[in-house]
Amino acid sequence: MKLTQRIRKALEIAEKQHRGQYRKNGVTPYLLHPVSVAWRVSGYTQNEDTIITAILHDVVEDTANFGIEEIEVEFGERVAENITYLSKNVGLSPKGGCWLDNKKQYIERLDGADKEVLLVKIIDRIDNANTLVKELENNGEEFWEKFNGKKNEKKIVEELSLELFRKKKMPKELCEELEGLIGQIYN
């Protein structure tokens, strides 16, 4: 990944916005996740907007002080549009608090995203799944209690996501990696 001025700025914003946040294990700094996703995304594309999207993909959803408007001012309409697709709390109407229905609605919206956005999303899913495998190995089944959705509901969401990634012809090796992780986690 070439550290352009815009990518450096995105990293600074992500660091500031995610400061003090940790992964569900309470130990791993959250910032490692978007940086890991961006690094891996850069192995598939050098599109600066896509890499910035990967760095900032959780800022709007998981922080309170940097919204879509700020993203657009700092990085332009394209990055703001990409992050809107990736943010579950932007532009979707919650369906009565039903976790699974809300996730299905989110996946339906992703169906309209371009391949660059879906590249960020599949790598995000893979990174999260790798983390979950490690946490389940370290903490056992009780680690599921840290999530809003139930294990069987999360499996449905992962399978629907994988189906979407295949339909949109995302890189075969990424689909296979995600499929393997889903099998490892849920079977």
Side-chain angles (χ1 to χ4, degrees), residues 29-167:
Y30 194 86
L31 183 62
L32 293 177
H33 169 65
V35 170
S36 175
V37 171
W39 183 259
R40 189 140 184 217
V41 163
S42 74
Y44 287 86
T45 182
Q46 289 302 305
N47 182 302
E48 188 180 46
D49 285 345
T50 305
I51 294 168
I52 291 168
T53 298
I55 294 166
L56 299 175
H57 77 272
D58 281 336
V59 165
V60 172
E61 187 174 306
D62 292 341
T63 70
N65 301 316
F66 210 81
I68 290 297
E69 298 79 19
E70 289 83 3
I71 298 281
E72 186 169 355
V73 167
E74 294 293 334
F75 299 102
E77 185 178 333
R78 183 68 183 147
V79 173
E81 181 181 303
N82 291 350
I83 292 175
T84 297
Y85 271 112
L86 296 169
S87 299
K88 292 180 234 11
N89 61 343
V90 176
L92 293 175
S93 304
K95 294 187 175 184
C98 177
W99 185 89
L100 183 57
D101 287 344
N102 292 339
K103 295 294 183 177
K104 286 178 178 179
Q105 182 185 19
Y106 172 69
I107 293 167
E108 287 171 14
R109 178 172 70 188
L110 282 173
D111 193 20
D114 68 25
K115 286 193 174 198
E116 296 281 314
V117 171
L118 292 174
L119 178 65
V120 173
K121 190 63 198 174
I122 192 171
I123 291 174
D124 172 46
R125 290 266 198 226
I126 289 168
D127 192 71
N128 285 334
N130 276 312
T131 300
L132 183 54
V133 165
K134 290 176 191 146
E135 292 305 329
L136 289 169
E137 287 172 359
N138 293 336
N139 300 298
E141 289 294 308
E142 63 269 8
F143 193 74
W144 287 109
E145 295 171 17
K146 296 186 180 265
F147 294 93
N148 293 325
K150 297 176 182 135
K151 181 179 178 180
N152 65 322
E153 292 174 328
K154 289 185 74 54
K155 181 180 182 185
I156 291 168
V157 170
E158 293 300 343
E159 289 172 340
L160 288 172
S161 297
L162 181 59
E163 185 179 311
L164 173 65
F165 297 139
R166 284 194 167 126
K167 175 179 127 184

